[in-house]
Amino acid sequence: MGYLETKDWTTVSFEVGRKTLREWREDQSRRSEEVVELWEHVLSRSPSSLGDEVWMIYEQVCIAALDCARYDLAMECIQELDKRFPRSNRVLKLQAMRYEALEQYSSAVSLYDKLLEADSTNNSYRKRKVSILMAQGKRLDAIKELNEYLKIYINDSEAWLQLSELFLLESDFSKAAHCLEECLLAAPLNALYLRRLADIRYTQGGQDNVEIAKSYYEQAYKLNPEDVRSQYGLLLCATQLAQGKISAEKKKELSSSGAAIAEKIAEHYDELTGINPEAPQLADLVRTIGKQMDGLEERLSEVERVLGISELSEVNAADLDVESLRNSLLSKGCSQVFKIKMEDLQKLKSTMTEPNMKPLDEKLNTVQFCEDLIRKRIDLLEEWDANIQPVLDSEAIPTSEQHSAALDGIEKDLNESLATYQREVLELMIFYEDFKKLMNTLNQRVETLNSKVRNLEKKKEAV
Amino acid sequence: MLGKSHGGKLTITSVVPLVHESAPLSPSIEIALALVSSKDDQSIVGIYYSNASYQDKSFNPYSIRLAEKIAAVTGQSTYLAQVVNWHLTADCSSPCISVYQQQDSGSWKDIKVDVDPVALTLVSSALQKKLYRELVDFENHLDNPELDFYNSSLNRMLREEL
């Protein structure tokens, strides 16, 4: 299932079987059915020739057997291990896992609790208790337990990863992203975490999140340039962001980077033409997406320019209010505009507010529609030009220009006088402040002198 | 699920497996849908899914959201097929999918599905021959682009079984 070669494990040699099991032990691959096959058909014939490796193999086969509901085989393995390692906690853990597989959850939990009493530092028992909660479908309890666990064992990336999966099942994207960020703290150059975090951010949607996703994808791509997922991720982000409200040069940048990554993906598919029968068609599809990004972007920016929606400007509701626009134009005598049908203008308004989830060909239709409107507008503007030419030729315009120049001069003078007036007022105010201070001081002196005089007079009376 | 409809009946002619995690994220689904929907002949009529837990017959919220999105884009009603895990045994005595269609009220109603008995024998023999190990989904393809997620070689093998 997704492996390059599916082998018939029942017929391989002993050495190959042993080597394969060792590889899978080291990679921690979960190929349980195949492990059981390898054991039963190949290795179990002479377990003694495996030497001391046989105990690890028994453990591996036991867990694989539990995965395949082969409880008989699991029991055999546990018994062999128990004979060799009596009273071993590791064997007891396998026994508890067997209870889990048989859905005897309470026995499993009590066994894990006993194991925890004996060895409270072994965090795998705690994690198995969480997986019991997950198997019972008690996702929220599992989340709570994992949270408690992570407060103690804060560096356990496996647990953070599992917690993020649980949050995803609860559709809580922000918490899931937070968990992945914890994993990333422990291993900042791990392309898998980066890419998965990018996936979550992209799923959350919204311009900020998609931009964050893009930066994560770029990092992941830098670390592993062959990763098709990050390449596709970059393509998706570029397409998404190019449709948002951003400057024209950013749009150009995005569409060219999108086209470049599409080309890279398509080239990869080209190389696989002999191996994957669908590869040529996939290459074509990806190239089409890339091309449409390029062409679409240019046409979109032309449309925007002509409609007067310049870079960085916000299209606010007032701009799209057809009725008031019509009235204001009518008041200025522009009855020409109304040669464009009202329905077309309203359709234009609706396309600007509709969500972007449309297939590409519909989007192309919308763009063509806009282009047709623009051509109509150009024709109308030419008509208008022709009508306005006599006005332009008359003298009113140069005189009005002179007038406006004179007005500009007057405005400048006024501004200068205002400035001078302000300066003088400021000086006056400063002077007034100083004067007040001086008056205050003088008043105080007078007060002191008065009190002295009163004192002297009192003394004179006393005498 | 890809297919065609004639009159009141819908025939599902082929499927493309997409992902194998319970909470799939947007990017792989979006790319997969874009690629599959741009492929020539057939149109997407719905999605099929199965729950991770053996006895779980509940609806998966992601699958529902995906089906609604497909309905919004194609403009037609979409079908949701759930694999009934406990019927998928080596002898395959009863059909193992339930199909649902969304009503106007928003709830999903169980509808009758015609399963050819030959199909059941085919599934049973495929299970015994462990042909499921050859199955490639879109996620496998993303991890390794050499793998063909349209599964044409598996289809050929299945046809030989018939």
Side-chain angles (χ1 to χ4, degrees), chain A residues 1-2 4 6 33 37 168-169 196 199 202-203 217 228-229 232 269 272 276 278 285, chain B residues 21 25-27 30-31 38-39 62 130 132-135 141 143 145-148 150:
Chain A
M1 305 201 271
L4 260 180
T6 36
E33 220 183 51
E37 260 178 31
L168 282 180
L169 283 167
R196 196 135 172 91
D199 284 340
Y202 183 84
T203 313
Y217 278 129
V228 180
R229 288 186 200 241
Y232 269 127
Y269 280 133
L272 294 172
N276 184 340
E278 295 290 332
L285 280 170
Chain B
E21 44 175 0
L25 295 170
S26 295
E30 279 186 28
I31 294 275
S38 320
K39 189 172 153 78
Y62 282 93
K130 306 200 198 283
Y132 49 81
R133 291 192 190 164
E134 306 280 337
L135 190 64
H141 170 83
D143 290 328
E146 291 180 15
L147 299 169
D148 168 25
Y150 288 108

mmCIF file of all heavy atoms in Angstrom, chain A residues 1-2 4 6 33 37 168-169 196 199 202-203 217 228-229 232 269 272 276 278 285, chain B residues 21 25-27 30-31 38-39 62 130 132-135 141 143 145-148 150:
data_model
loop_
_atom_site.group_PDB
_atom_site.id
_atom_site.type_symbol
_atom_site.label_atom_id
_atom_site.label_comp_id
_atom_site.label_asym_id
_atom_site.label_seq_id
_atom_site.Cartn_x
_atom_site.Cartn_y
_atom_site.Cartn_z
ATOM 1 N N MET A 1 0.845 -1.193 0.000
ATOM 2 C CA MET A 1 0.000 0.000 0.000
ATOM 3 C C MET A 1 0.875 1.236 0.000
ATOM 4 O O MET A 1 1.217 1.776 1.021
ATOM 5 C CB MET A 1 -0.866 -0.007 1.260
ATOM 6 C CG MET A 1 -1.636 -1.281 1.349
ATOM 7 S SD MET A 1 -3.055 -1.152 2.396
ATOM 8 C CE MET A 1 -2.353 -1.578 3.957
ATOM 9 N N GLY A 2 1.282 1.574 -1.172
ATOM 10 C CA GLY A 2 2.159 2.730 -1.238
ATOM 11 C C GLY A 2 3.615 2.338 -1.161
ATOM 12 O O GLY A 2 4.482 3.170 -1.002
ATOM 13 N N LEU A 4 6.947 0.649 -2.987
ATOM 14 C CA LEU A 4 7.378 0.533 -4.371
ATOM 15 C C LEU A 4 7.282 -0.904 -4.874
ATOM 16 O O LEU A 4 7.000 -1.143 -6.030
ATOM 17 C CB LEU A 4 8.824 1.003 -4.500
ATOM 18 C CG LEU A 4 8.913 2.432 -5.027
ATOM 19 C CD1 LEU A 4 10.348 2.855 -5.145
ATOM 20 C CD2 LEU A 4 8.240 2.512 -6.388
ATOM 21 N N THR A 6 5.711 -4.739 -3.877
ATOM 22 C CA THR A 6 5.044 -5.632 -2.935
ATOM 23 C C THR A 6 5.620 -7.015 -3.153
ATOM 24 O O THR A 6 5.559 -7.573 -4.238
ATOM 25 C CB THR A 6 3.536 -5.654 -3.181
ATOM 26 O OG1 THR A 6 3.329 -5.561 -4.575
ATOM 27 C CG2 THR A 6 2.857 -4.504 -2.498
ATOM 28 N N GLU A 33 1.210 -7.012 9.015
ATOM 29 C CA GLU A 33 0.802 -8.239 8.338
ATOM 30 C C GLU A 33 2.004 -8.954 7.764
ATOM 31 O O GLU A 33 2.129 -10.177 7.842
ATOM 32 C CB GLU A 33 -0.156 -7.871 7.213
ATOM 33 C CG GLU A 33 -1.288 -8.827 7.073
ATOM 34 C CD GLU A 33 -2.153 -8.452 5.905
ATOM 35 O OE1 GLU A 33 -1.597 -8.265 4.806
ATOM 36 O OE2 GLU A 33 -3.368 -8.345 6.102
ATOM 37 N N GLU A 37 3.715 -12.633 8.459
ATOM 38 C CA GLU A 37 3.998 -13.584 7.386
ATOM 39 C C GLU A 37 5.430 -14.051 7.429
ATOM 40 O O GLU A 37 5.726 -15.247 7.337
ATOM 41 C CB GLU A 37 3.758 -12.906 6.032
ATOM 42 C CG GLU A 37 2.435 -13.268 5.421
ATOM 43 C CD GLU A 37 2.215 -12.532 4.111
ATOM 44 O OE1 GLU A 37 3.221 -12.259 3.423
ATOM 45 O OE2 GLU A 37 1.067 -12.245 3.813
ATOM 46 N N LEU A 168 -6.681 17.923 15.346
ATOM 47 C CA LEU A 168 -7.183 17.973 13.981
ATOM 48 C C LEU A 168 -8.494 17.224 13.865
ATOM 49 O O LEU A 168 -9.409 17.656 13.164
ATOM 50 C CB LEU A 168 -6.158 17.377 13.016
ATOM 51 C CG LEU A 168 -5.001 18.276 12.661
ATOM 52 C CD1 LEU A 168 -4.074 17.553 11.701
ATOM 53 C CD2 LEU A 168 -5.490 19.550 12.002
ATOM 54 N N LEU A 169 -8.609 16.099 14.595
ATOM 55 C CA LEU A 169 -9.856 15.350 14.543
ATOM 56 C C LEU A 169 -10.985 16.150 15.155
ATOM 57 O O LEU A 169 -12.140 15.956 14.817
ATOM 58 C CB LEU A 169 -9.703 14.018 15.284
ATOM 59 C CG LEU A 169 -8.941 12.970 14.485
ATOM 60 C CD1 LEU A 169 -8.553 11.810 15.369
ATOM 61 C CD2 LEU A 169 -9.809 12.477 13.347
ATOM 62 N N ARG A 196 3.987 19.939 7.516
ATOM 63 C CA ARG A 196 2.681 19.674 8.110
ATOM 64 C C ARG A 196 2.095 20.945 8.717
ATOM 65 O O ARG A 196 0.909 21.217 8.596
ATOM 66 C CB ARG A 196 2.838 18.611 9.197
ATOM 67 C CG ARG A 196 1.529 18.041 9.538
ATOM 68 C CD ARG A 196 1.568 16.541 9.651
ATOM 69 N NE ARG A 196 0.276 16.130 10.186
ATOM 70 C CZ ARG A 196 -0.766 15.818 9.440
ATOM 71 N NH1 ARG A 196 -0.661 15.829 8.147
ATOM 72 N NH2 ARG A 196 -1.898 15.473 9.994
ATOM 73 N N ASP A 199 0.680 22.851 5.993
ATOM 74 C CA ASP A 199 -0.607 22.294 5.588
ATOM 75 C C ASP A 199 -1.719 22.809 6.495
ATOM 76 O O ASP A 199 -2.794 23.193 6.027
ATOM 77 C CB ASP A 199 -0.584 20.755 5.684
ATOM 78 C CG ASP A 199 0.179 20.118 4.537
ATOM 79 O OD1 ASP A 199 0.364 20.779 3.502
ATOM 80 O OD2 ASP A 199 0.584 18.951 4.682
ATOM 81 N N TYR A 202 -2.460 26.487 5.866
ATOM 82 C CA TYR A 202 -3.175 26.659 4.605
ATOM 83 C C TYR A 202 -4.630 26.275 4.780
ATOM 84 O O TYR A 202 -5.528 26.930 4.250
ATOM 85 C CB TYR A 202 -2.513 25.796 3.524
ATOM 86 C CG TYR A 202 -3.152 25.960 2.175
ATOM 87 C CD1 TYR A 202 -2.795 27.006 1.337
ATOM 88 C CD2 TYR A 202 -4.125 25.077 1.747
ATOM 89 C CE1 TYR A 202 -3.386 27.170 0.111
ATOM 90 C CE2 TYR A 202 -4.729 25.241 0.518
ATOM 91 C CZ TYR A 202 -4.346 26.289 -0.296
ATOM 92 O OH TYR A 202 -4.948 26.445 -1.510
ATOM 93 N N THR A 203 -4.859 25.180 5.535
ATOM 94 C CA THR A 203 -6.237 24.740 5.743
ATOM 95 C C THR A 203 -7.027 25.778 6.515
ATOM 96 O O THR A 203 -8.208 25.972 6.267
ATOM 97 C CB THR A 203 -6.251 23.418 6.533
ATOM 98 O OG1 THR A 203 -5.296 22.542 5.954
ATOM 99 C CG2 THR A 203 -7.607 22.777 6.493
ATOM 100 N N TYR A 217 6.396 26.351 3.736
ATOM 101 C CA TYR A 217 6.642 25.484 2.581
ATOM 102 C C TYR A 217 8.011 25.787 1.975
ATOM 103 O O TYR A 217 8.747 24.888 1.568
ATOM 104 C CB TYR A 217 5.579 25.689 1.497
ATOM 105 C CG TYR A 217 4.303 24.927 1.735
ATOM 106 C CD1 TYR A 217 3.073 25.570 1.681
ATOM 107 C CD2 TYR A 217 4.310 23.565 1.983
ATOM 108 C CE1 TYR A 217 1.903 24.891 1.883
ATOM 109 C CE2 TYR A 217 3.141 22.879 2.192
ATOM 110 C CZ TYR A 217 1.940 23.542 2.145
ATOM 111 O OH TYR A 217 0.776 22.865 2.352
ATOM 112 N N VAL A 228 7.557 16.470 -3.034
ATOM 113 C CA VAL A 228 6.501 16.914 -3.941
ATOM 114 C C VAL A 228 5.429 17.681 -3.184
ATOM 115 O O VAL A 228 4.835 18.621 -3.708
ATOM 116 C CB VAL A 228 5.883 15.698 -4.653
ATOM 117 C CG1 VAL A 228 4.794 16.127 -5.602
ATOM 118 C CG2 VAL A 228 6.946 14.939 -5.385
ATOM 119 N N ARG A 229 5.187 17.290 -1.916
ATOM 120 C CA ARG A 229 4.122 17.963 -1.174
ATOM 121 C C ARG A 229 4.417 19.451 -0.981
ATOM 122 O O ARG A 229 3.522 20.279 -1.107
ATOM 123 C CB ARG A 229 3.949 17.326 0.186
ATOM 124 C CG ARG A 229 3.317 15.971 0.144
ATOM 125 C CD ARG A 229 3.061 15.526 1.537
ATOM 126 N NE ARG A 229 2.897 14.099 1.636
ATOM 127 C CZ ARG A 229 1.788 13.529 2.081
ATOM 128 N NH1 ARG A 229 0.783 14.263 2.432
ATOM 129 N NH2 ARG A 229 1.715 12.224 2.158
ATOM 130 N N TYR A 232 3.874 21.247 -4.322
ATOM 131 C CA TYR A 232 2.459 21.499 -4.575
ATOM 132 C C TYR A 232 1.932 22.570 -3.634
ATOM 133 O O TYR A 232 1.108 23.405 -3.999
ATOM 134 C CB TYR A 232 1.646 20.207 -4.396
ATOM 135 C CG TYR A 232 1.487 19.396 -5.653
ATOM 136 C CD1 TYR A 232 1.824 18.053 -5.689
ATOM 137 C CD2 TYR A 232 0.992 19.969 -6.815
ATOM 138 C CE1 TYR A 232 1.663 17.307 -6.836
ATOM 139 C CE2 TYR A 232 0.831 19.224 -7.966
ATOM 140 C CZ TYR A 232 1.165 17.886 -7.968
ATOM 141 O OH TYR A 232 1.004 17.152 -9.097
ATOM 142 N N TYR A 269 7.376 14.947 -13.326
ATOM 143 C CA TYR A 269 6.483 13.977 -13.935
ATOM 144 C C TYR A 269 7.028 13.490 -15.270
ATOM 145 O O TYR A 269 6.905 12.326 -15.633
ATOM 146 C CB TYR A 269 5.092 14.578 -14.129
ATOM 147 C CG TYR A 269 4.259 14.573 -12.878
ATOM 148 C CD1 TYR A 269 3.554 15.701 -12.484
ATOM 149 C CD2 TYR A 269 4.173 13.440 -12.086
ATOM 150 C CE1 TYR A 269 2.790 15.699 -11.341
ATOM 151 C CE2 TYR A 269 3.421 13.436 -10.942
ATOM 152 C CZ TYR A 269 2.720 14.568 -10.570
ATOM 153 O OH TYR A 269 1.975 14.558 -9.442
ATOM 154 N N LEU A 272 9.229 10.692 -15.002
ATOM 155 C CA LEU A 272 8.633 9.436 -14.564
ATOM 156 C C LEU A 272 7.779 8.792 -15.631
ATOM 157 O O LEU A 272 7.019 7.879 -15.356
ATOM 158 C CB LEU A 272 7.753 9.685 -13.335
ATOM 159 C CG LEU A 272 8.520 10.129 -12.106
ATOM 160 C CD1 LEU A 272 7.529 10.538 -11.043
ATOM 161 C CD2 LEU A 272 9.369 9.001 -11.586
ATOM 162 N N ASN A 276 5.295 5.725 -14.282
ATOM 163 C CA ASN A 276 3.919 5.980 -13.889
ATOM 164 C C ASN A 276 3.119 6.296 -15.146
ATOM 165 O O ASN A 276 3.375 7.281 -15.809
ATOM 166 C CB ASN A 276 3.880 7.168 -12.931
ATOM 167 C CG ASN A 276 2.489 7.431 -12.399
ATOM 168 O OD1 ASN A 276 1.502 6.996 -12.979
ATOM 169 N ND2 ASN A 276 2.414 8.153 -11.294
ATOM 170 N N GLU A 278 0.328 7.513 -15.691
ATOM 171 C CA GLU A 278 -0.435 8.762 -15.723
ATOM 172 C C GLU A 278 0.465 9.976 -15.782
ATOM 173 O O GLU A 278 -0.021 11.106 -15.859
ATOM 174 C CB GLU A 278 -1.299 8.864 -14.469
ATOM 175 C CG GLU A 278 -2.358 7.800 -14.393
ATOM 176 C CD GLU A 278 -3.418 8.027 -15.425
ATOM 177 O OE1 GLU A 278 -3.640 9.186 -15.799
ATOM 178 O OE2 GLU A 278 -4.006 7.048 -15.895
ATOM 179 N N LEU A 285 -1.329 18.719 -16.991
ATOM 180 C CA LEU A 285 -2.273 19.434 -16.125
ATOM 181 C C LEU A 285 -1.561 20.463 -15.286
ATOM 182 O O LEU A 285 -2.015 21.600 -15.153
ATOM 183 C CB LEU A 285 -2.993 18.450 -15.205
ATOM 184 C CG LEU A 285 -4.150 17.701 -15.843
ATOM 185 C CD1 LEU A 285 -4.620 16.604 -14.940
ATOM 186 C CD2 LEU A 285 -5.278 18.659 -16.151
ATOM 187 N N GLU B 21 -5.634 9.509 6.057
ATOM 188 C CA GLU B 21 -5.696 9.938 7.442
ATOM 189 C C GLU B 21 -7.101 10.451 7.758
ATOM 190 O O GLU B 21 -7.820 10.876 6.875
ATOM 191 C CB GLU B 21 -4.646 11.006 7.747
ATOM 192 C CG GLU B 21 -4.506 12.081 6.729
ATOM 193 C CD GLU B 21 -3.522 13.149 7.173
ATOM 194 O OE1 GLU B 21 -2.970 13.038 8.272
ATOM 195 O OE2 GLU B 21 -3.326 14.092 6.412
ATOM 196 N N LEU B 25 -5.877 17.316 5.461
ATOM 197 C CA LEU B 25 -5.712 18.767 5.363
ATOM 198 C C LEU B 25 -5.923 19.239 3.935
ATOM 199 O O LEU B 25 -5.753 18.462 2.999
ATOM 200 C CB LEU B 25 -4.316 19.150 5.840
ATOM 201 C CG LEU B 25 -4.116 18.858 7.326
ATOM 202 C CD1 LEU B 25 -2.666 19.018 7.695
ATOM 203 C CD2 LEU B 25 -4.964 19.789 8.150
ATOM 204 N N SER B 26 -6.264 20.534 3.798
ATOM 205 C CA SER B 26 -6.659 21.066 2.487
ATOM 206 C C SER B 26 -5.710 20.818 1.329
ATOM 207 O O SER B 26 -6.159 20.446 0.264
ATOM 208 C CB SER B 26 -6.869 22.558 2.568
ATOM 209 O OG SER B 26 -7.924 22.862 3.385
ATOM 210 N N PRO B 27 -4.418 21.087 1.493
ATOM 211 C CA PRO B 27 -3.583 21.093 0.284
ATOM 212 C C PRO B 27 -3.678 19.817 -0.544
ATOM 213 O O PRO B 27 -3.940 19.901 -1.748
ATOM 214 C CB PRO B 27 -2.170 21.268 0.830
ATOM 215 C CG PRO B 27 -2.325 21.909 2.121
ATOM 216 C CD PRO B 27 -3.625 21.441 2.683
ATOM 217 N N GLU B 30 -7.061 19.534 -2.228
ATOM 218 C CA GLU B 30 -7.291 20.497 -3.313
ATOM 219 C C GLU B 30 -6.576 20.082 -4.575
ATOM 220 O O GLU B 30 -7.145 20.089 -5.674
ATOM 221 C CB GLU B 30 -6.812 21.889 -2.889
ATOM 222 C CG GLU B 30 -7.801 22.613 -2.026
ATOM 223 C CD GLU B 30 -7.368 24.038 -1.741
ATOM 224 O OE1 GLU B 30 -6.651 24.608 -2.577
ATOM 225 O OE2 GLU B 30 -7.764 24.546 -0.697
ATOM 226 N N ILE B 31 -5.307 19.710 -4.420
ATOM 227 C CA ILE B 31 -4.550 19.315 -5.604
ATOM 228 C C ILE B 31 -5.183 18.083 -6.226
ATOM 229 O O ILE B 31 -5.375 18.007 -7.442
ATOM 230 C CB ILE B 31 -3.094 19.002 -5.227
ATOM 231 C CG1 ILE B 31 -2.392 20.248 -4.762
ATOM 232 C CG2 ILE B 31 -2.376 18.389 -6.374
ATOM 233 C CD1 ILE B 31 -1.839 21.063 -5.869
ATOM 234 N N SER B 38 -9.911 17.630 -13.705
ATOM 235 C CA SER B 38 -9.506 18.066 -15.034
ATOM 236 C C SER B 38 -9.248 16.900 -15.966
ATOM 237 O O SER B 38 -8.977 17.092 -17.139
ATOM 238 C CB SER B 38 -8.221 18.891 -14.966
ATOM 239 O OG SER B 38 -8.261 19.735 -13.869
ATOM 240 N N LYS B 39 -9.324 15.684 -15.411
ATOM 241 C CA LYS B 39 -9.068 14.526 -16.257
ATOM 242 C C LYS B 39 -10.294 14.306 -17.135
ATOM 243 O O LYS B 39 -11.415 14.381 -16.675
ATOM 244 C CB LYS B 39 -8.803 13.311 -15.363
ATOM 245 C CG LYS B 39 -8.302 12.095 -16.116
ATOM 246 C CD LYS B 39 -7.896 11.026 -15.131
ATOM 247 C CE LYS B 39 -7.994 9.633 -15.697
ATOM 248 N NZ LYS B 39 -6.888 9.266 -16.573
ATOM 249 N N TYR B 62 -15.166 15.728 8.125
ATOM 250 C CA TYR B 62 -14.361 16.169 6.988
ATOM 251 C C TYR B 62 -14.969 15.684 5.681
ATOM 252 O O TYR B 62 -15.012 16.408 4.690
ATOM 253 C CB TYR B 62 -12.939 15.623 7.113
ATOM 254 C CG TYR B 62 -12.115 16.388 8.093
ATOM 255 C CD1 TYR B 62 -12.022 15.989 9.419
ATOM 256 C CD2 TYR B 62 -11.435 17.534 7.707
ATOM 257 C CE1 TYR B 62 -11.272 16.699 10.308
ATOM 258 C CE2 TYR B 62 -10.678 18.244 8.608
ATOM 259 C CZ TYR B 62 -10.605 17.827 9.912
ATOM 260 O OH TYR B 62 -9.855 18.534 10.806
ATOM 261 N N LYS B 130 -4.686 -10.753 -1.036
ATOM 262 C CA LYS B 130 -3.982 -9.594 -0.480
ATOM 263 C C LYS B 130 -3.629 -8.567 -1.553
ATOM 264 O O LYS B 130 -2.562 -7.965 -1.528
ATOM 265 C CB LYS B 130 -2.726 -10.001 0.274
ATOM 266 C CG LYS B 130 -3.016 -11.048 1.335
ATOM 267 C CD LYS B 130 -1.919 -11.077 2.356
ATOM 268 C CE LYS B 130 -1.952 -12.359 3.159
ATOM 269 N NZ LYS B 130 -2.967 -12.394 4.165
ATOM 270 N N TYR B 132 -4.891 -5.815 -1.777
ATOM 271 C CA TYR B 132 -4.958 -4.460 -1.240
ATOM 272 C C TYR B 132 -3.578 -3.880 -0.976
ATOM 273 O O TYR B 132 -3.423 -2.695 -0.778
ATOM 274 C CB TYR B 132 -5.797 -4.420 0.047
ATOM 275 C CG TYR B 132 -5.427 -5.473 1.049
ATOM 276 C CD1 TYR B 132 -4.337 -5.307 1.903
ATOM 277 C CD2 TYR B 132 -6.166 -6.637 1.147
ATOM 278 C CE1 TYR B 132 -4.005 -6.283 2.803
ATOM 279 C CE2 TYR B 132 -5.828 -7.618 2.051
ATOM 280 C CZ TYR B 132 -4.752 -7.442 2.876
ATOM 281 O OH TYR B 132 -4.423 -8.402 3.773
ATOM 282 N N ARG B 133 -2.567 -4.761 -0.973
ATOM 283 C CA ARG B 133 -1.228 -4.221 -0.760
ATOM 284 C C ARG B 133 -0.761 -3.417 -1.964
ATOM 285 O O ARG B 133 0.183 -2.658 -1.865
ATOM 286 C CB ARG B 133 -0.244 -5.348 -0.490
ATOM 287 C CG ARG B 133 -0.494 -5.993 0.835
ATOM 288 C CD ARG B 133 0.648 -6.877 1.211
ATOM 289 N NE ARG B 133 0.309 -7.672 2.369
ATOM 290 C CZ ARG B 133 0.973 -8.739 2.751
ATOM 291 N NH1 ARG B 133 2.013 -9.137 2.048
ATOM 292 N NH2 ARG B 133 0.609 -9.405 3.814
ATOM 293 N N GLU B 134 -1.425 -3.624 -3.124
ATOM 294 C CA GLU B 134 -1.020 -2.898 -4.319
ATOM 295 C C GLU B 134 -1.682 -1.537 -4.407
ATOM 296 O O GLU B 134 -1.352 -0.749 -5.280
ATOM 297 C CB GLU B 134 -1.461 -3.679 -5.565
ATOM 298 C CG GLU B 134 -1.006 -5.102 -5.599
ATOM 299 C CD GLU B 134 0.430 -5.197 -6.052
ATOM 300 O OE1 GLU B 134 0.897 -4.260 -6.717
ATOM 301 O OE2 GLU B 134 1.077 -6.183 -5.728
ATOM 302 N N LEU B 135 -2.645 -1.282 -3.499
ATOM 303 C CA LEU B 135 -3.446 -0.073 -3.632
ATOM 304 C C LEU B 135 -2.610 1.172 -3.352
ATOM 305 O O LEU B 135 -1.886 1.229 -2.365
ATOM 306 C CB LEU B 135 -4.618 -0.142 -2.654
ATOM 307 C CG LEU B 135 -5.700 0.895 -2.803
ATOM 308 C CD1 LEU B 135 -6.389 0.732 -4.128
ATOM 309 C CD2 LEU B 135 -6.708 0.741 -1.684
ATOM 310 N N HIS B 141 1.106 8.787 -3.562
ATOM 311 C CA HIS B 141 1.700 9.360 -4.763
ATOM 312 C C HIS B 141 2.523 10.590 -4.416
ATOM 313 O O HIS B 141 3.609 10.810 -4.958
ATOM 314 C CB HIS B 141 0.581 9.716 -5.746
ATOM 315 C CG HIS B 141 1.024 10.524 -6.905
ATOM 316 N ND1 HIS B 141 1.596 9.986 -8.027
ATOM 317 C CD2 HIS B 141 1.006 11.856 -7.108
ATOM 318 C CE1 HIS B 141 1.885 10.936 -8.880
ATOM 319 N NE2 HIS B 141 1.538 12.093 -8.356
ATOM 320 N N ASP B 143 4.048 11.169 -1.646
ATOM 321 C CA ASP B 143 5.292 10.782 -1.006
ATOM 322 C C ASP B 143 6.257 10.176 -2.014
ATOM 323 O O ASP B 143 7.464 10.241 -1.838
ATOM 324 C CB ASP B 143 5.013 9.750 0.102
ATOM 325 C CG ASP B 143 4.294 10.380 1.270
ATOM 326 O OD1 ASP B 143 4.545 11.571 1.517
ATOM 327 O OD2 ASP B 143 3.491 9.692 1.915
ATOM 328 N N PRO B 145 6.183 10.044 -6.239
ATOM 329 C CA PRO B 145 5.418 10.285 -7.465
ATOM 330 C C PRO B 145 5.471 9.160 -8.485
ATOM 331 O O PRO B 145 4.741 9.196 -9.473
ATOM 332 C CB PRO B 145 6.046 11.551 -8.050
ATOM 333 C CG PRO B 145 6.777 12.161 -6.940
ATOM 334 C CD PRO B 145 7.201 11.075 -6.035
ATOM 335 N N GLU B 146 6.328 8.163 -8.238
ATOM 336 C CA GLU B 146 6.351 7.061 -9.200
ATOM 337 C C GLU B 146 5.080 6.249 -9.118
ATOM 338 O O GLU B 146 4.731 5.540 -10.051
ATOM 339 C CB GLU B 146 7.533 6.141 -8.900
ATOM 340 C CG GLU B 146 8.865 6.782 -9.195
ATOM 341 C CD GLU B 146 10.000 5.834 -8.881
ATOM 342 O OE1 GLU B 146 9.722 4.637 -8.711
ATOM 343 O OE2 GLU B 146 11.139 6.308 -8.809
ATOM 344 N N LEU B 147 4.403 6.311 -7.966
ATOM 345 C CA LEU B 147 3.220 5.477 -7.775
ATOM 346 C C LEU B 147 2.024 6.099 -8.466
ATOM 347 O O LEU B 147 1.818 7.306 -8.407
ATOM 348 C CB LEU B 147 2.941 5.321 -6.282
ATOM 349 C CG LEU B 147 4.078 4.655 -5.534
ATOM 350 C CD1 LEU B 147 3.846 4.769 -4.043
ATOM 351 C CD2 LEU B 147 4.172 3.201 -5.920
ATOM 352 N N ASP B 148 1.228 5.262 -9.099
ATOM 353 C CA ASP B 148 0.111 5.735 -9.903
ATOM 354 C C ASP B 148 -1.160 5.680 -9.073
ATOM 355 O O ASP B 148 -1.658 4.592 -8.757
ATOM 356 C CB ASP B 148 0.008 4.826 -11.128
ATOM 357 C CG ASP B 148 -1.276 5.040 -11.890
ATOM 358 O OD1 ASP B 148 -1.849 6.142 -11.794
ATOM 359 O OD2 ASP B 148 -1.701 4.110 -12.586
ATOM 360 N N TYR B 150 -4.098 6.357 -9.877
ATOM 361 C CA TYR B 150 -5.288 5.887 -10.582
ATOM 362 C C TYR B 150 -5.334 4.361 -10.596
ATOM 363 O O TYR B 150 -6.295 3.785 -11.070
ATOM 364 C CB TYR B 150 -5.322 6.416 -12.013
ATOM 365 C CG TYR B 150 -5.632 7.897 -12.090
ATOM 366 C CD1 TYR B 150 -4.651 8.814 -12.432
ATOM 367 C CD2 TYR B 150 -6.909 8.366 -11.820
ATOM 368 C CE1 TYR B 150 -4.946 10.171 -12.490
ATOM 369 C CE2 TYR B 150 -7.198 9.713 -11.877
ATOM 370 C CZ TYR B 150 -6.209 10.614 -12.220
ATOM 371 O OH TYR B 150 -6.499 11.958 -12.281
#
